Amino acid sequence: MTGWLDALERLAGSRAKAGLTRQLRPRPADDFVVDLAGNDYLGLSAHPAVVGASAEALRAYGLGATGSRLVRGSTEAHAALESDLAAWLGAPAALVFSSGYLANLAAVRGLSAVADLVVSDAYNHASLIDGCKISGQRTVVAPHNDPAAVAAILDAHPGATAVVVTESVFSVDGDLAPLPALHEVTSARGALLLVDDAHAVGILGPRGAGAVAAAGLAGHPDVIVTATLSKSLGGAGGVVSAPRQFIDHLVDTGRTFIYDTALPPAVVAGVAAAIRVAAAADDRRDVLLTRGVHTVARLTAAGFEVAPPAAGVLSVLAPGPEAAVAWAADCRDRGVAVGCFRPPSTPDGTSRLRLTLNAGVSDEDFTRALDVIVECAP
């Protein structure tokens, strides 16, 4: 009866030998490490306006939403947030989910009702990959950031109704997708373009409206945008912004919307406040830009190859998974949190430290953190 547990033990042993064991490290509320690992790019998770709005909604609504969105989980706060998101992102309509992961699953699967071919960038996030799998449609993986390859794939499937799926700023390497070129390819062939704007919303574009807005594609009827509310907005949840007909389709058919308990109203209200702050936070975006330039210069001078960040993500190559783990652990022991990315989060044979810029970190702490990263390098 325990054979399956023995099998799991063998799999765990194989992961350990490959340096792919992962650990949970609970942090206290008064954790004083310099955070270059989380995604609170604008430092809004503890902003007084955000916390205040969340606390007010907590008192008004209680802890949870008490049900799914179609039962009792839709509050006036949810409706207001969806209106705010649509206006900010420049879309006709928006629908909020309890996570960005679920928003991506719903969006990709929802498009399978009108598309029978999915073209997915090779470096897409796991949520997009899983969305492709559950869509039930043919999926072709395209070389990373290669519009010509996407065009060739679409041309090789004449008669197919296709959706091209990409991130805007990629979550591991931090590079920017060529969105105008991709849209040129898709629009010329009658295909849809789905963009996960998770790492660009709040950072790029007018008033931080994201990479899709920066590319001049906001509101196009053949462009669907997803994002998380847990990165630059410092909260939780996800959003799909799209033409009203697609939003209505997701309300009627989206399993990760219909059967999931709604995002708590306190989080919803906090995110709405974060949007108001983020839309006016050009000063914080300037801090991120300056720190990105400084980080590349500091690490390059130390002998690392680091590409200039498109937004708030930088990737530093590590010799291997064990070295990446040790490097991140040494940094943590010296009070600096950095991301450690190994397969399957990265392509096989590659591992990285991922640094995320944070406007909420003081200049002194940020400079010290870069020194620690250099000094702890394997």
Side-chain angles (χ1 to χ4, degrees):
M1 296 294 292
T2 61
W4 69 283
L5 298 177
D6 294 336
L8 292 180
E9 288 287 354
R10 290 192 294 272
L11 291 171
S14 298
R15 291 195 300 272
K17 289 180 182 179
L20 300 180
T21 299
R22 287 160 168 78
Q23 293 181 327
L24 296 173
R25 294 186 175 87
R27 60 181 175 88
D30 59 350
D31 181 23
F32 294 112
V33 302
V34 181
D35 184 9
L36 299 187
N39 297 309
D40 190 15
Y41 297 123
L42 298 179
L44 299 186
S45 64
H47 190 284
V50 174
V51 174
S54 182
E56 183 178 344
L58 181 63
R59 286 190 292 268
Y61 285 103
L63 180 60
T66 75
S68 66
R69 289 290 305 275
L70 292 173
V71 180
R72 287 280 292 169
S74 286
T75 67
E76 292 178 350
H78 288 81
L81 175 59
E82 287 166 343
S83 178
D84 291 346
L85 283 164
W88 188 37
L89 301 178
L95 189 66
V96 166
F97 291 74
S98 62
S99 76
Y101 207 111
L102 296 183
N104 275 345
L105 292 181
V108 180
R109 183 178 182 274
L111 290 172
S112 69
V114 294
D116 53 15
L117 173 68
V118 182
V119 181
S120 177
D121 188 282
Y123 285 11
N124 272 341
H125 187 267
S127 57
L128 294 173
I129 295 171
D130 286 351
C132 294
K133 291 178 179 178
I134 68 171
S135 73
Q137 303 293 9
R138 289 176 295 170
T139 297
V140 179
V141 177
H144 179 53
N145 274 355
D146 191 339
V150 171
I153 292 169
L154 295 177
D155 291 343
H157 294 80
T161 303
V163 55
V164 174
V165 179
T166 184
E167 295 182 58
S168 57
V169 173
F170 284 83
S171 57
V172 176
D173 289 341
D175 54 332
L176 181 66
L179 295 180
L182 284 173
H183 186 251
E184 183 177 349
V185 167
T186 57
S187 61
R189 292 161 175 80
L192 301 173
L193 179 62
L194 170 61
V195 182
D196 179 356
D197 219 7
H199 290 274
V201 165
I203 311 302
L204 302 181
R207 301 173 67 246
V212 173
L217 300 177
H220 276 245
D222 58 351
V223 177
I224 299 93
V225 179
T226 66
T228 179
L229 311 177
S230 63
K231 301 192 186 324
S232 67
L233 296 177
V239 62
V240 177
S241 60
R244 168 55 64 184
Q245 295 92 326
F246 186 58
I247 297 302
D248 291 343
H249 176 70
L250 293 182
V251 171
D252 286 343
T253 68
R255 295 170 70 87
T256 60
F257 177 82
I258 296 170
Y259 300 105
D260 186 46
T261 298
L263 198 63
V267 176
V268 170
V271 169
I275 291 173
R276 293 190 288 273
V277 176
D282 286 344
D283 56 338
R284 293 176 184 247
R285 284 183 277 276
D286 288 343
V287 168
L288 291 185
L289 177 64
T290 300
R291 287 184 173 175
V293 172
H294 177 61
T295 301
V296 171
R298 177 71 177 92
L299 297 181
T300 299
F304 300 104
E305 292 186 10
V306 185
V313 179
L314 295 95
S315 181
V316 186
L317 192 66
E322 295 91 347
V325 171
W327 193 356
D330 289 346
C331 289
R332 185 173 58 253
D333 289 344
R334 294 184 56 180
V336 177
V338 297
C340 174
F341 277 57
R342 299 161 286 162
S345 300
T346 60
D348 288 343
T350 64
S351 295
R352 295 167 173 78
L353 286 195
R354 190 188 75 166
L355 313 182
T356 50
L357 306 178
N358 186 335
V361 172
S362 70
D363 289 339
E364 180 181 0
D365 283 345
F366 185 76
T367 299
R368 179 174 67 83
L370 294 184
D371 290 340
V372 167
I373 291 166
V374 171
E375 292 163 7
C376 292

